[in-house]
Amino acid sequence: MSTATGPASGLPVRMPRPRQPGRHRRPEALAAPEGAPVLVLAVPGNPTSAALSLAEEVVSIARSELSGLDPRIGFVDGDDAEDTEFPALRGVLDAVADERSGEDTAAVVVPLLAGPEASVLRRIRQAIADSKAQVELTDVLGPHPLLAEALHVRLSEAGLARADRARLFTVATAADGIILATVGGEEAAQAAGVTGLLLAARLAVPVLAAALDEDGAIARAAEQLRTSGSGRLALAPCLIGPEIAPQLLHTAAAEAGCSGADALGPYPAVGKLVVTHYAGALGMAMQQQESAPSN
């Protein structure tokens, strides 16, 4: 809650601005108050230039959603606390602790993961436990309707789904069955299945989630879809990107005998969800706008 003298410590607040008239007026902009905890984006996978560029784009989107945000990037698998190009998560948290000593919550760590990949989350928790910082760790980004929207867009970009069914825009190669690929075993596949239901509602085709790191799961999902009548399959990675080697997606698509879309990458919804989880950790709900499924 804000007061006449300023916002309560640590909570994003709405900044006064003229409101547009009409039912379609834009939501008021949000701003983080001075002294709000640092947002630390925990990036999985090997520290590479491509992963860093993706993370920087996600951070840029997050800043546009919440002005005044102080974001940092930390690589979960970084092993050099002094590496300034690919900063390790533990080193980033220690630096934040030095800057914010004495604060109840110095940082909020948001995993750059679409689903619960247990091994990555275990390493994130270990980095937090080993650091000097007072930190709060959020949930992963999915399942969420915004991820279903992003998956739809990536499929349409690859020519594997109609971009807008309401306008009868046809795609000759549109898939009539989707394999939603994730990593993290059965737990991650179950979580992705929730997003898959939302994607199925958008596309009006069956969607099955399967884990890339579970032997035979992709092939079994493909066989199940074909047995149920789907003749043109597509692989949709319910992944941000850095958490898996790109070659594994090509291998999975070949295993399923189908084409595949790109990983979600720095899609705007990913940055929005990062901010939503950060704000949620501070007790402030963010307004979101998700495209309704086309009919």
Side-chain angles (χ1 to χ4, degrees):
M1 178 181 296
S2 59
T3 67
T5 58
S9 175
L11 293 179
V13 295
R14 301 192 183 281
M15 301 299 291
R17 60 180 295 182
R19 292 179 62 85
Q20 297 176 338
R23 57 186 295 225
H24 298 298
R25 61 178 178 262
R26 295 180 51 142
E28 296 177 61
L30 288 178
E34 185 177 355
V38 171
L39 185 156
V40 178
L41 189 65
V43 183
N46 293 326
T48 63
S49 296
L52 178 61
S53 177
L54 187 155
E56 288 174 340
E57 289 189 61
V58 171
V59 163
S60 178
I61 295 167
R63 277 181 168 143
S64 70
E65 293 290 320
L66 185 64
S67 64
L69 188 65
D70 183 5
R72 315 286 173 90
I73 294 170
F75 284 91
V76 179
D77 293 327
D79 57 6
D80 185 354
E82 304 300 323
D83 190 340
T84 57
E85 182 180 9
F86 304 116
L89 178 60
R90 162 72 188 278
V92 171
L93 293 176
D94 282 345
V96 171
D98 291 338
E99 296 172 17
R100 304 293 189 94
S101 60
E103 295 187 10
D104 290 340
T105 302
V108 173
V109 176
V110 181
L112 191 60
L113 290 170
E117 190 177 350
S119 62
V120 176
L121 291 173
R122 185 163 52 249
R123 295 196 295 277
I124 292 175
R125 293 189 184 100
Q126 187 62 54
I128 291 173
D130 291 342
S131 76
K132 303 177 292 184
Q134 296 296 316
V135 172
E136 182 161 352
L137 175 65
T138 75
D139 289 335
V140 296
L141 304 184
H144 198 278
L146 285 176
L147 293 183
E149 173 194 301
L151 288 162
H152 185 174
V153 169
R154 291 295 184 239
L155 285 164
S156 66
E157 289 173 344
L160 299 171
R162 294 174 175 82
D164 189 346
R165 294 177 62 237
R167 296 179 185 174
L168 301 180
F169 174 72
T170 60
V171 178
T173 57
D176 58 7
I178 306 294
I179 303 169
L180 198 59
T182 186
V183 289
E186 183 59 27
E187 180 186 4
Q190 290 180 359
V194 178
T195 298
L197 290 174
L198 300 169
L199 180 62
R202 297 179 68 95
L203 300 179
V205 301
V207 177
L208 286 181
L212 290 163
D213 51 354
E214 184 178 334
D215 288 344
I218 296 294
R220 288 194 298 272
E223 179 61 25
Q224 185 175 341
L225 286 168
R226 290 191 172 103
T227 300
S228 65
S230 297
R232 297 185 305 278
L233 305 185
L235 186 77
C238 192
L239 303 164
I240 309 300
E243 65 271 48
I244 191 169
Q247 184 57 40
L248 291 180
L249 293 177
H250 298 302
T251 301
E255 181 182 348
C258 66
S259 299
D262 290 336
L264 298 174
Y267 186 74
V270 174
K272 291 178 182 178
L273 285 173
V274 167
V275 172
T276 298
H277 282 61
Y278 169 83
L282 302 181
M284 181 70 181
M286 296 283 292
Q287 288 190 347
Q288 295 174 348
Q289 292 180 322
E290 191 269 330
S291 300
S294 303
N295 296 314

